[in-house]
Short mmCIF file of all heavy atoms in Angstrom, two decimals:
data_model
loop_
_atom_site.label_atom_id
_atom_site.label_comp_id
_atom_site.label_asym_id
_atom_site.label_seq_id
_atom_site.Cartn_x
_atom_site.Cartn_y
_atom_site.Cartn_z
N SER A 263 3.35 -20.69 -24.60
CA SER A 263 4.78 -20.94 -24.76
C SER A 263 5.03 -22.44 -24.77
O SER A 263 4.21 -23.22 -24.28
CB SER A 263 5.52 -20.30 -23.58
OG SER A 263 4.92 -20.74 -22.37
N PHE A 264 6.14 -22.83 -25.38
CA PHE A 264 6.44 -24.27 -25.37
C PHE A 264 7.72 -24.53 -24.60
O PHE A 264 8.61 -23.67 -24.58
CB PHE A 264 6.52 -24.81 -26.82
CG PHE A 264 7.61 -24.21 -27.67
CD1 PHE A 264 8.92 -24.69 -27.64
CD2 PHE A 264 7.32 -23.14 -28.51
CE1 PHE A 264 9.91 -24.14 -28.43
CE2 PHE A 264 8.31 -22.57 -29.31
CZ PHE A 264 9.60 -23.07 -29.27
N PRO A 265 7.81 -25.71 -23.92
CA PRO A 265 6.79 -26.77 -23.86
C PRO A 265 5.58 -26.36 -23.02
O PRO A 265 5.74 -25.86 -21.92
CB PRO A 265 7.54 -27.95 -23.24
CG PRO A 265 8.71 -27.35 -22.52
CD PRO A 265 9.05 -26.07 -23.19
N ALA A 266 4.40 -26.58 -23.60
CA ALA A 266 3.14 -26.19 -22.95
C ALA A 266 2.70 -27.29 -21.97
O ALA A 266 2.65 -28.46 -22.34
CB ALA A 266 2.07 -25.98 -24.01
N PRO A 267 2.38 -26.91 -20.72
CA PRO A 267 2.00 -27.92 -19.72
C PRO A 267 0.86 -28.83 -20.15
O PRO A 267 0.90 -30.04 -19.89
CB PRO A 267 1.61 -27.07 -18.50
CG PRO A 267 2.42 -25.82 -18.66
CD PRO A 267 2.48 -25.56 -20.13
N ASN A 268 -0.18 -28.29 -20.83
CA ASN A 268 -1.30 -29.16 -21.18
C ASN A 268 -0.97 -30.09 -22.34
O ASN A 268 -1.55 -31.17 -22.46
CB ASN A 268 -2.58 -28.34 -21.47
CG ASN A 268 -2.42 -27.32 -22.57
OD1 ASN A 268 -1.32 -27.04 -23.04
ND2 ASN A 268 -3.53 -26.73 -22.99
N VAL A 269 0.01 -29.71 -23.17
CA VAL A 269 0.44 -30.61 -24.25
C VAL A 269 1.35 -31.70 -23.67
O VAL A 269 1.28 -32.86 -24.08
CB VAL A 269 1.14 -29.84 -25.38
CG1 VAL A 269 1.54 -30.78 -26.52
CG2 VAL A 269 0.23 -28.74 -25.92
N ILE A 270 2.19 -31.32 -22.70
CA ILE A 270 3.02 -32.32 -22.01
C ILE A 270 2.12 -33.36 -21.35
O ILE A 270 2.35 -34.57 -21.44
CB ILE A 270 3.91 -31.65 -20.94
CG1 ILE A 270 4.99 -30.79 -21.61
CG2 ILE A 270 4.56 -32.70 -20.04
CD1 ILE A 270 5.81 -29.98 -20.63
N GLU A 271 1.06 -32.87 -20.69
CA GLU A 271 0.13 -33.77 -20.00
C GLU A 271 -0.54 -34.73 -21.00
O GLU A 271 -0.63 -35.93 -20.75
CB GLU A 271 -0.94 -32.96 -19.26
CG GLU A 271 -1.91 -33.83 -18.48
CD GLU A 271 -3.05 -33.02 -17.87
OE1 GLU A 271 -3.43 -31.99 -18.45
OE2 GLU A 271 -3.57 -33.45 -16.83
N ALA A 272 -0.99 -34.18 -22.12
CA ALA A 272 -1.66 -35.01 -23.13
C ALA A 272 -0.71 -36.06 -23.69
O ALA A 272 -1.07 -37.24 -23.85
CB ALA A 272 -2.22 -34.14 -24.24
N SER A 273 0.54 -35.64 -23.99
CA SER A 273 1.49 -36.57 -24.62
C SER A 273 2.00 -37.63 -23.64
O SER A 273 2.51 -38.67 -24.04
CB SER A 273 2.68 -35.80 -25.21
OG SER A 273 3.43 -35.16 -24.19
N ALA A 274 1.84 -37.36 -22.33
CA ALA A 274 2.27 -38.34 -21.32
C ALA A 274 1.28 -39.48 -21.18
O ALA A 274 1.63 -40.59 -20.77
CB ALA A 274 2.47 -37.65 -19.98
N SER A 275 -0.01 -39.21 -21.53
CA SER A 275 -1.03 -40.23 -21.30
C SER A 275 -1.47 -40.94 -22.58
O SER A 275 -2.08 -42.01 -22.51
CB SER A 275 -2.26 -39.59 -20.63
OG SER A 275 -2.78 -38.55 -21.44
N THR A 276 -1.17 -40.36 -23.74
CA THR A 276 -1.55 -41.00 -25.01
C THR A 276 -0.62 -40.50 -26.11
O THR A 276 -0.16 -39.35 -26.04
CB THR A 276 -3.03 -40.69 -25.34
OG1 THR A 276 -3.44 -41.45 -26.46
CG2 THR A 276 -3.25 -39.22 -25.65
N PRO A 277 -0.31 -41.32 -27.12
CA PRO A 277 0.54 -40.84 -28.21
C PRO A 277 -0.13 -39.68 -28.95
O PRO A 277 -1.33 -39.72 -29.23
CB PRO A 277 0.68 -42.06 -29.13
CG PRO A 277 0.35 -43.24 -28.26
CD PRO A 277 -0.67 -42.73 -27.28
N VAL A 278 0.65 -38.62 -29.24
CA VAL A 278 0.09 -37.47 -29.95
C VAL A 278 0.99 -37.10 -31.13
O VAL A 278 2.16 -37.50 -31.19
CB VAL A 278 -0.07 -36.23 -29.03
CG1 VAL A 278 -0.98 -36.53 -27.86
CG2 VAL A 278 1.28 -35.71 -28.56
N SER A 279 0.42 -36.34 -32.05
CA SER A 279 1.21 -35.73 -33.12
C SER A 279 0.87 -34.25 -33.16
O SER A 279 -0.16 -33.83 -32.60
CB SER A 279 0.90 -36.38 -34.47
OG SER A 279 -0.45 -36.17 -34.83
N LEU A 280 1.71 -33.45 -33.79
CA LEU A 280 1.44 -32.03 -33.95
C LEU A 280 1.31 -31.71 -35.43
O LEU A 280 2.10 -32.18 -36.25
CB LEU A 280 2.58 -31.18 -33.37
CG LEU A 280 2.72 -31.09 -31.84
CD1 LEU A 280 3.93 -30.24 -31.46
CD2 LEU A 280 1.46 -30.50 -31.21
N ILE A 281 0.30 -30.92 -35.77
CA ILE A 281 0.12 -30.48 -37.15
C ILE A 281 1.24 -29.51 -37.50
O ILE A 281 1.55 -28.60 -36.73
CB ILE A 281 -1.25 -29.77 -37.33
CG1 ILE A 281 -2.40 -30.74 -37.06
CG2 ILE A 281 -1.36 -29.11 -38.69
CD1 ILE A 281 -2.60 -31.80 -38.10
N THR A 282 1.86 -29.71 -38.66
CA THR A 282 2.90 -28.79 -39.11
C THR A 282 2.41 -28.05 -40.35
O THR A 282 1.72 -28.62 -41.20
CB THR A 282 4.22 -29.55 -39.38
OG1 THR A 282 5.30 -28.62 -39.53
CG2 THR A 282 4.13 -30.44 -40.59
N LEU A 283 2.69 -26.75 -40.42
CA LEU A 283 2.22 -25.92 -41.52
C LEU A 283 3.31 -25.76 -42.58
O LEU A 283 4.50 -25.85 -42.27
CB LEU A 283 1.82 -24.53 -41.00
CG LEU A 283 0.43 -24.35 -40.39
CD1 LEU A 283 0.27 -25.18 -39.13
CD2 LEU A 283 0.17 -22.88 -40.08
N THR A 284 2.89 -25.54 -43.81
CA THR A 284 3.85 -25.20 -44.86
C THR A 284 4.20 -23.72 -44.72
O THR A 284 3.46 -22.95 -44.09
CB THR A 284 3.27 -25.44 -46.26
OG1 THR A 284 2.17 -24.52 -46.46
CG2 THR A 284 2.75 -26.87 -46.41
N ASP A 285 5.30 -23.31 -45.31
CA ASP A 285 5.68 -21.89 -45.24
C ASP A 285 4.64 -21.01 -45.91
O ASP A 285 4.41 -19.88 -45.49
CB ASP A 285 7.06 -21.68 -45.88
CG ASP A 285 8.19 -22.21 -44.99
OD1 ASP A 285 7.93 -22.48 -43.80
OD2 ASP A 285 9.32 -22.35 -45.48
N GLU A 286 3.99 -21.56 -46.95
CA GLU A 286 2.93 -20.81 -47.64
C GLU A 286 1.73 -20.60 -46.71
O GLU A 286 1.14 -19.51 -46.68
CB GLU A 286 2.48 -21.55 -48.91
CG GLU A 286 3.51 -21.61 -50.03
CD GLU A 286 4.63 -22.62 -49.77
OE1 GLU A 286 4.46 -23.52 -48.91
OE2 GLU A 286 5.68 -22.50 -50.43
N GLN A 287 1.39 -21.64 -45.96
CA GLN A 287 0.28 -21.51 -45.01
C GLN A 287 0.61 -20.50 -43.91
O GLN A 287 -0.24 -19.70 -43.52
CB GLN A 287 -0.06 -22.88 -44.42
CG GLN A 287 -0.75 -23.81 -45.40
CD GLN A 287 -0.86 -25.24 -44.89
OE1 GLN A 287 -0.04 -25.69 -44.07
NE2 GLN A 287 -1.86 -25.96 -45.37
N VAL A 288 1.84 -20.55 -43.41
CA VAL A 288 2.27 -19.59 -42.39
C VAL A 288 2.12 -18.16 -42.92
O VAL A 288 1.58 -17.28 -42.24
CB VAL A 288 3.73 -19.84 -41.95
CG1 VAL A 288 4.22 -18.71 -41.05
CG2 VAL A 288 3.85 -21.17 -41.22
N ALA A 289 2.58 -17.94 -44.14
CA ALA A 289 2.50 -16.61 -44.74
C ALA A 289 1.06 -16.14 -44.86
O ALA A 289 0.75 -14.96 -44.64
CB ALA A 289 3.17 -16.61 -46.11
N GLU A 290 0.16 -17.09 -45.18
CA GLU A 290 -1.26 -16.74 -45.35
C GLU A 290 -1.90 -16.30 -44.03
O GLU A 290 -2.81 -15.48 -44.02
CB GLU A 290 -2.01 -17.95 -45.92
CG GLU A 290 -3.06 -17.58 -46.95
CD GLU A 290 -3.69 -18.80 -47.61
OE1 GLU A 290 -2.95 -19.75 -47.92
OE2 GLU A 290 -4.92 -18.79 -47.78
#
C-alpha cells in the first residue's frame, strides 16, 4: 500500500524517482 514505509525511508535518505507505466503497458 502507499505510502510504503520502505519507499518513504529510501526517499528520505537519497533522491528517488518512480517508474511510470503507459496505459498500454498497464493493459499488457
Side-chain angles (χ1 to χ4, degrees):
S263 52
F264 62 85
N268 58 350
V269 182
I270 291 174
E271 182 186 30
S273 65
S275 59
T276 188
V278 301
S279 63
L280 287 178
I281 296 289
T282 193
L283 278 64
T284 65
D285 286 345
E286 292 75 18
Q287 287 170 334
V288 171
E290 219 174 318

